[in-house]
Amino acid sequence: MIYDPTIFNVDEKPSLVVNQTHSLLSVPYATGHRGSGNTGGNVSCDYPENTIESFIYAYQSGANAVEIDIHLTKDNRLAIIHNGSTDDYTDALHKYTVATTNLEDLQKIPQKTPSGKITYDYHIPSYEELLEALNSDFYKDKTMVVELKDGKFETGKLAIDIAKKYQPTNPNVFLSEHLIL
């Protein structure tokens, strides 16, 4: 469902702030930002952000939605990573720019957990990998908000094409961000 009039009060005239606040808060909706790995220093789990394990943990912990970040790689694959480089997510030996690196090479680098540990236990997933991992009845009523971090039209088009393959099992995939046309 894209619009629920019982939750959001949208009309042609500006509504009272009280009505808007009530309508936004009438149904609690928990979202896992980058899964559960971006905890702002409050380490509730130690999965790196934007990893399959982090998204699964967020959903299993009660999140109704997760927010993921994608970039287009050199080999035209969609990597789930927040920044356009790996600088903040790995050690000093594995610094890459996503747009100039193949997905396979990005997936080989170690990941940094919220507690700061560098580990090879997790990897940068592809968008397809995540949708495949969430391809079960448990996730069918969950929502995924996909942020197109690189702003490329090609990224958005590819994300839509891939999401269509998984539409029957997860109809709640939304794209956000401005596209550069």
Side-chain angles (χ1 to χ4, degrees), residues 45-108:
C45 77
D46 212 24
Y47 297 121
E49 66 182 46
N50 273 320
T51 59
I52 291 171
E53 295 82 1
S54 180
F55 295 116
I56 289 173
Y57 181 84
Y59 281 137
Q60 291 177 346
S61 297
N64 303 97
V66 294
E67 177 267 344
I68 74 170
D69 306 301
I70 60 174
H71 284 267
L72 192 63
T73 62
K74 179 181 178 181
D75 55 346
N76 293 314
R77 301 283 307 278
L78 296 179
I80 299 178
I81 185 170
H82 182 266
N83 295 343
S85 72
T86 61
D87 294 1
D88 294 335
Y89 311 108
T90 191
D91 59 18
L93 299 175
H94 298 90
K95 306 287 182 164
Y96 298 101
T97 301
V98 177
T100 60
T101 309
N102 289 330
L103 179 66
E104 182 180 351
D105 294 327
L106 291 172
Q107 292 183 322
K108 292 177 184 175

Side-chain angles (χ1 to χ4, degrees), residues 91-163:
D91 59 18
L93 299 175
H94 298 90
K95 306 287 182 164
Y96 298 101
T97 301
V98 177
T100 60
T101 309
N102 289 330
L103 179 66
E104 182 180 351
D105 294 327
L106 291 172
Q107 292 183 322
K108 292 177 184 175
I109 67 172
Q111 296 291 289
K112 187 186 298 181
T113 66
S115 65
K117 177 183 172 189
I118 300 293
T119 177
Y120 283 96
D121 292 342
Y122 311 101
H123 70 276
I124 296 170
S126 70
Y127 183 49
E128 295 98 327
E129 279 182 286
L130 179 61
L131 290 175
E132 187 62 40
L134 302 178
N135 191 11
S136 76
D137 284 343
F138 177 79
Y139 304 105
K140 71 179 179 182
D141 295 326
K142 305 293 185 182
T143 298
M144 180 184 299
V145 178
V146 180
E147 275 200 52
L148 309 174
K149 286 303 206 180
D150 62 13
K152 295 178 183 174
F153 177 80
E154 296 84 6
T155 305
K157 171 115 175 55
L158 184 56
I160 290 168
D161 291 344
I162 292 168

